Amino acid sequence: MLEQRIQQHFIDSADLKYQSAQILSKPIADAVQAVMTCVTSGCKVLVCGNGASSALAQHAAASFVGQFERERPELAALALGTDAAALSAQAEQDYRQVFARQVRALGLAGDVLLALSADGQSPSVQAAVDAAHERDMTVVALTGRSGGALGAGLRETDVHICVPHDRVARIQEVHLLVLHCICDGVDAQLLGEQELPT
């Protein structure tokens, strides 16, 4: 019984990824172009999310600053909310503004905010998007379900990558794949095409 349940997780995850490939390839390509425009102009990528999305944000920022799969020059990126002292000080005032305050402090026109929220309903991520718009930044939003308030608050110049599923675990699995696609796409643009290892 337990093994069947485990196998079903793999099947469900694979099915969603397969379904998402055609739906999400265009917005992912748009996200790659937004990040490319940003980093080749000497700007930076700010990344934020709560809970598991925060871990994905840190992974994305690390892949930009360090490397994804190939050696390349560092790309300016920062995961917001990783400084415990700043986080606790801001949370004491108003946690909903925790990322927005950092965006207003660090974000400049030309930068990209990569915002992650599985259900699109995170008030702190939505506030970060609003702050990014105030700074004339482009927003790349990774959501799921219907996109929620986050998706509804995006501008035409933003990129919305909305995973067509309701279950948070499945959405986050696809978010990780999307981030890997963005990193690979940026590397391919900067370093040239390379055969993907199998």
Side-chain angles (χ1 to χ4, degrees):
M1 184 67 130
L2 180 57
E3 287 184 19
Q4 289 176 336
R5 187 177 183 89
I6 291 167
Q7 290 171 12
Q8 192 62 49
H9 279 287
F10 278 85
I11 292 166
D12 292 347
S13 183
D15 285 347
L16 177 59
K17 288 172 183 170
Y18 184 78
Q19 293 167 18
S20 297
Q22 288 187 340
I23 297 167
L24 301 182
S25 60
K26 171 72 167 86
I28 294 170
D30 292 343
V32 170
Q33 291 308 314
V35 171
M36 277 297 299
T37 299
C38 169
V39 299
T40 57
S41 300
C43 297
K44 63 189 168 299
V45 179
L46 302 179
V47 197
C48 69
N50 288 302
S53 294
S54 177
L56 292 175
Q58 291 176 57
H59 175 63
S63 296
F64 287 130
V65 173
Q67 66 179 37
F68 177 56
E69 291 184 320
R70 294 195 272 171
E71 187 66 40
R72 59 148 163 73
E74 300 82 4
L75 304 177
L78 178 68
L80 304 178
T82 58
D83 180 333
L87 187 67
S88 61
Q90 293 165 29
E92 196 165 273
Q93 296 171 11
D94 181 359
Y95 185 77
R96 290 170 297 184
Q97 293 296 312
V98 69
F99 301 130
R101 292 179 66 85
Q102 291 181 305
V103 170
R104 286 192 290 272
L106 303 170
L108 300 170
D111 290 345
V112 165
L113 175 67
L114 185 52
L116 291 84
S117 175
D119 64 2
Q121 294 295 104
S122 171
S124 60
V125 176
Q126 179 60 54
V129 168
D130 294 340
H133 288 155
E134 291 169 16
R135 291 286 190 258
D136 290 326
M137 296 169 60
T138 298
V139 174
V140 174
L142 276 66
T143 67
R145 298 183 178 163
S146 66
L150 183 59
L154 296 176
R155 295 178 174 173
E156 284 186 23
T157 54
D158 295 330
V159 179
H160 189 196
I161 301 170
C162 184
V163 178
H165 205 274
D166 289 327
R167 192 166 176 189
V168 169
R170 297 289 90 86
I171 293 166
Q172 290 169 337
E173 289 163 5
V174 176
H175 281 182
L176 177 60
L177 180 57
V178 167
L179 293 172
H180 286 169
C181 289
I182 293 171
C183 290
D184 176 71
V186 169
D187 283 1
Q189 297 275 346
L190 290 173
L191 305 173
E193 295 285 338
Q194 181 181 15
E195 285 294 320
L196 293 174
T198 55

